C-alpha cells in the first residue's frame, strides 16, 4: 500500500519543487552565476517589465513583503537592481533592473532553458499540457 505522501499530489508537488530548486541552484552556480532561483524569478519580473513597485513584485512572485525586500537588498548590493523615485508619486520607490542585472538574467535564462529541457526530456508535449492543466486546477481550488 502506498503511503499518504506517495499518493498526495500536493506533497509530490512540494517535494518536486524542493528537488528542482536544489538542482537548479547547483546548475546556476556551476555556470558562474551569482543568483539563486528565487532571485532569478524577481529579476525576470523586472526583465519583462522594468520599474515596478515592491508591491507589484510581491504580488507577482507571491512572496511576502519582507522576503521581497531582503531579495531586492541583496540584488541591489550585487548591482543587479537599483531603486529609483517614481516620477508621479514621490512616496513610491521603483525597482529597476540594471545593465549588469540584464546580463545576469539573460545568462541565467539560458541555463534555465537547458535545465528545463533536461528535466522534461522523454515527456510528450501532451503529457506536459495535462500536467499544467492539473496544476492550474489545484491552484484554482486552493486560491
Amino acid at each position: 500500500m502506498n503511503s499518504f505522501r506517495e499518493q498526495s499530489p500536493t506533497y509530490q508537488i512540494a517535494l518536486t519543487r524542493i528537488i528542482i530548486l536544489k538542482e537548479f541552484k547547483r546548475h546556476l552556480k556551476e555556470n558562474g552565476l551569482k543568483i539563486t532561483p528565487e532571485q532569478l524569478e524577481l529579476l525576470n519580473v523586472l526583465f519583462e517589465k522594468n520599474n515596478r513597485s515592491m508591491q507589484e513584485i510581491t504580488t507577482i512572485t507571491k512572496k511576502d513583503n519582507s522576503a521581497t525586500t531582503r531579495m531586492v537588498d541583496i540584488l541591489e548590493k550585487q548591482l543587479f537592481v537599483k531603486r529609483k523615485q517614481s516620477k508621479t508619486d514621490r512616496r513610491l520607490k521603483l525597482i529597476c533592473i540594471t545593465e549588469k542585472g540584464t546580463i545576469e538574467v539573460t545568462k541565467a535564462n539560458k541555463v534555465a532553458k537547458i535545465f528545463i529541457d533536461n528535466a522534461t526530456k522523454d515527456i510528450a508535449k501532451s503529457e506536459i499540457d495535462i500536467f499544467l492543466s492539473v496544476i492550474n486546477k489545484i491552484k484554482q481550488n486552493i486560491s
Side-chain angles (χ1 to χ4, degrees):
M1 174 186 246
N2 288 338
S3 71
F4 169 78
R5 292 182 327 210
E6 292 170 324
Q7 292 180 329
S8 168
T10 54
Y11 179 82
Q12 290 301 316
I13 290 166
L15 179 61
T16 303
R17 179 184 183 278
I18 291 166
I19 294 167
I20 287 170
L21 286 176
K22 183 178 177 184
E23 284 302 305
F24 185 46
K25 188 175 186 176
R26 186 177 62 78
H27 282 264
L28 289 170
K29 190 173 183 179
E30 284 176 355
N31 282 277
L33 295 154
K34 304 207 179 346
I35 56 173
T36 65
E38 294 85 0
Q39 292 167 344
L40 176 58
E41 179 185 14
L42 190 150
L43 286 173
N44 269 314
V45 167
L46 295 172
F47 189 66
E48 292 164 7
K49 179 181 177 253
N50 209 3
N51 299 317
R52 292 187 190 257
S53 70
M54 290 288 256
Q55 188 56 53
E56 275 183 281
I57 295 168
T58 298
T59 301
I60 293 166
T61 61
K62 306 287 191 248
K63 305 269 188 246
D64 60 40
N65 289 335
S66 59
T68 302
T69 300
R70 278 191 307 275
M71 224 181 310
V72 168
D73 288 346
I74 291 167
L75 291 170
E76 191 173 33
K77 285 178 187 164
Q78 294 175 302
L79 305 176
F80 292 143
V81 301
K82 65 181 177 182
R83 289 174 168 91
K84 70 179 193 180
Q85 198 76 44
S86 168
K87 291 178 182 169
T88 57
D89 184 347
R90 292 183 336 158
R91 299 166 295 170
L92 185 63
K93 293 276 190 194
L94 299 176
I95 311 304
C96 58
I97 192 167
T98 63
E99 185 177 338
K100 184 177 178 181
T102 299
I103 292 167
E104 188 81 354
V105 78
T106 302
K107 289 178 185 176
N109 283 337
K110 288 177 184 173
V111 172
K113 169 120 176 57
I114 293 166
F115 181 80
I116 292 165
D117 288 347
N118 286 333
T120 58
K121 70 179 180 202
D122 301 327
I123 301 174
K125 183 184 179 325
S126 60
E127 290 177 296
I128 291 174
D129 291 342
I130 291 167
F131 172 77
L132 293 174
S133 174
V134 170
I135 289 289
N136 284 326
K137 287 178 183 177
I138 290 171
K139 286 191 296 191
Q140 287 172 356
N141 288 343
I142 60 176
S143 293

Short mmCIF file of all heavy atoms in Angstrom, two decimals, residues 12-24:
data_model
loop_
_atom_site.label_atom_id
_atom_site.label_comp_id
_atom_site.label_asym_id
_atom_site.label_seq_id
_atom_site.Cartn_x
_atom_site.Cartn_y
_atom_site.Cartn_z
N GLN A 12 3.72 15.65 -3.40
CA GLN A 12 4.64 15.36 -4.50
C GLN A 12 5.07 16.64 -5.22
O GLN A 12 6.22 16.78 -5.63
CB GLN A 12 4.02 14.35 -5.47
CG GLN A 12 3.89 12.95 -4.90
CD GLN A 12 5.23 12.37 -4.47
OE1 GLN A 12 6.23 12.49 -5.16
NE2 GLN A 12 5.25 11.75 -3.29
N ILE A 13 4.14 17.58 -5.35
CA ILE A 13 4.48 18.88 -5.96
C ILE A 13 5.51 19.60 -5.09
O ILE A 13 6.52 20.11 -5.60
CB ILE A 13 3.22 19.75 -6.15
CG1 ILE A 13 2.33 19.15 -7.25
CG2 ILE A 13 3.60 21.20 -6.50
CD1 ILE A 13 0.93 19.74 -7.29
N ALA A 14 5.28 19.63 -3.79
CA ALA A 14 6.20 20.31 -2.87
C ALA A 14 7.58 19.65 -2.89
O ALA A 14 8.61 20.34 -2.93
CB ALA A 14 5.62 20.31 -1.46
N LEU A 15 7.60 18.32 -2.86
CA LEU A 15 8.87 17.59 -2.90
C LEU A 15 9.61 17.85 -4.21
O LEU A 15 10.82 18.11 -4.22
CB LEU A 15 8.62 16.09 -2.71
CG LEU A 15 9.84 15.19 -2.74
CD1 LEU A 15 10.80 15.55 -1.61
CD2 LEU A 15 9.40 13.73 -2.62
N THR A 16 8.90 17.83 -5.31
CA THR A 16 9.50 18.08 -6.62
C THR A 16 10.05 19.49 -6.69
O THR A 16 11.15 19.72 -7.22
CB THR A 16 8.47 17.84 -7.74
OG1 THR A 16 7.98 16.50 -7.63
CG2 THR A 16 9.08 18.04 -9.12
N ARG A 17 9.34 20.45 -6.13
CA ARG A 17 9.82 21.84 -6.09
C ARG A 17 11.14 21.93 -5.35
O ARG A 17 12.08 22.58 -5.81
CB ARG A 17 8.78 22.73 -5.41
CG ARG A 17 9.21 24.17 -5.32
CD ARG A 17 8.18 25.01 -4.53
NE ARG A 17 8.55 26.40 -4.49
CZ ARG A 17 9.43 26.91 -3.61
NH1 ARG A 17 10.00 26.15 -2.70
NH2 ARG A 17 9.73 28.19 -3.64
N ILE A 18 11.25 21.26 -4.22
CA ILE A 18 12.49 21.28 -3.43
C ILE A 18 13.64 20.70 -4.25
O ILE A 18 14.73 21.27 -4.31
CB ILE A 18 12.31 20.51 -2.11
CG1 ILE A 18 11.35 21.27 -1.19
CG2 ILE A 18 13.66 20.26 -1.42
CD1 ILE A 18 10.85 20.45 -0.01
N ILE A 19 13.40 19.58 -4.89
CA ILE A 19 14.44 18.92 -5.70
C ILE A 19 14.85 19.81 -6.86
O ILE A 19 16.05 19.99 -7.14
CB ILE A 19 13.95 17.54 -6.19
CG1 ILE A 19 13.76 16.60 -5.00
CG2 ILE A 19 14.91 16.94 -7.22
CD1 ILE A 19 12.98 15.33 -5.32
N ILE A 20 13.87 20.38 -7.55
CA ILE A 20 14.16 21.24 -8.70
C ILE A 20 14.98 22.45 -8.27
O ILE A 20 15.99 22.79 -8.91
CB ILE A 20 12.85 21.69 -9.40
CG1 ILE A 20 12.25 20.51 -10.17
CG2 ILE A 20 13.10 22.87 -10.34
CD1 ILE A 20 10.85 20.79 -10.70
N LEU A 21 14.56 23.13 -7.20
CA LEU A 21 15.29 24.32 -6.76
C LEU A 21 16.72 23.99 -6.37
O LEU A 21 17.66 24.73 -6.70
CB LEU A 21 14.56 25.00 -5.60
CG LEU A 21 13.30 25.76 -5.98
CD1 LEU A 21 12.60 26.30 -4.74
CD2 LEU A 21 13.60 26.88 -6.96
N LYS A 22 16.91 22.87 -5.67
CA LYS A 22 18.25 22.47 -5.25
C LYS A 22 19.15 22.22 -6.47
O LYS A 22 20.28 22.71 -6.53
CB LYS A 22 18.16 21.21 -4.38
CG LYS A 22 19.47 20.75 -3.83
CD LYS A 22 19.27 19.52 -2.94
CE LYS A 22 20.59 19.00 -2.44
NZ LYS A 22 20.43 17.77 -1.65
N GLU A 23 18.64 21.47 -7.43
CA GLU A 23 19.43 21.15 -8.62
C GLU A 23 19.65 22.37 -9.51
O GLU A 23 20.74 22.57 -10.04
CB GLU A 23 18.76 20.03 -9.42
CG GLU A 23 18.94 18.67 -8.80
CD GLU A 23 20.42 18.30 -8.64
OE1 GLU A 23 21.18 18.33 -9.63
OE2 GLU A 23 20.82 18.00 -7.50
N PHE A 24 18.61 23.19 -9.65
CA PHE A 24 18.75 24.38 -10.48
C PHE A 24 19.75 25.35 -9.88
O PHE A 24 20.57 25.95 -10.58
CB PHE A 24 17.38 25.04 -10.70
CG PHE A 24 17.42 26.21 -11.64
CD1 PHE A 24 18.10 26.15 -12.85
CD2 PHE A 24 16.78 27.39 -11.32
CE1 PHE A 24 18.16 27.24 -13.72
CE2 PHE A 24 16.81 28.48 -12.17
CZ PHE A 24 17.50 28.40 -13.37
#
